[in-house]
Amino acid sequence: QFVESDDDEELLFNIPFTGNVKLKGIIVMGEDDSTHPAEMRLFRNIPHMSFDDTAREPEQTFSLNRDPTGELEYPTKIARFSNVYHLSIHFPKNFGAETTKIFYIGLKGEWTEAHRHEVTICNYEASANPADHKLEQITPQTHFIS
């Protein structure tokens, strides 16, 4: 089984994660022919990315070699990919065929649970209610020094 591009050689994968990922490496398997992707561009934390968004500068670009067995791992810049919740992978070109075929994409890294800030329901006082802030009665005393 494989993924094949439709009209041209470009492919775009959007991968949302259920937590935060520190991405350390990627493996891409294709055919041992001209349909194998020749370039890979990585974008992080751009949900719902489209082909129109691929004109922006990627976080990292790789020149790929033909790898039908999945032996090559492409290391990522860990500083740029240390807190990824959505990964977009763009394959802009292949080795000369009209379409691009990909059989496998492997992601290597560490997953941590996402820290989500939820809504907190709080009640704030517009003005203080004296009944809520009872203090012990203080009796002032005056001391005279002679």
Side-chain angles (χ1 to χ4, degrees):
Q1 295 183 0
F2 56 87
V3 174
E4 185 173 10
S5 59
D6 289 341
D7 297 332
D8 57 5
E9 57 192 0
E10 281 190 273
L11 274 173
L12 178 64
F13 292 90
N14 284 304
I15 305 168
F17 297 114
T18 57
N20 292 325
V21 173
K22 181 189 287 188
L23 187 65
K24 296 181 177 180
I26 297 184
I27 298 170
V28 177
M29 284 175 45
E31 288 274 11
D32 195 12
D33 60 9
S34 59
T35 63
H36 193 288
E39 186 178 327
M40 176 174 62
R41 304 170 75 222
L42 301 180
F43 300 87
R44 68 176 174 86
N45 301 339
I46 307 172
H48 312 295
M49 187 170 177
S50 68
F51 282 106
D52 296 334
D53 299 321
T54 60
R56 68 182 356 164
E57 187 68 27
E59 300 296 324
Q60 192 168 358
T61 303
F62 296 93
S63 294
L64 303 179
N65 295 316
R66 290 186 179 121
D67 185 17
T69 59
E71 295 175 356
L72 296 175
E73 180 181 326
Y74 299 95
T76 61
K77 296 176 183 174
I78 295 176
R80 289 190 179 188
F81 294 97
S82 63
N83 193 18
V84 180
Y85 58 85
H86 189 277
L87 180 68
S88 298
I89 307 173
H90 179 227
F91 297 97
K93 61 184 178 178
N94 58 22
F95 287 100
E98 290 184 19
T99 60
T100 301
K101 285 185 184 178
I102 295 178
F103 287 85
Y104 175 81
I105 297 174
L107 304 175
K108 184 177 179 181
E110 297 173 11
W111 180 87
T112 57
E113 190 172 349
H115 180 69
R116 306 233 188 259
H117 294 284
E118 296 183 10
V119 175
T120 305
I121 299 174
C122 297
N123 293 322
Y124 293 99
E125 297 177 358
S127 61
N129 183 356
D132 292 338
H133 307 283
K134 293 187 179 185
L135 297 174
E136 291 183 27
Q137 189 66 20
I138 299 175
T139 313
Q141 295 182 357
T142 310
H143 298 283
F144 293 101
I145 301 175
S146 52

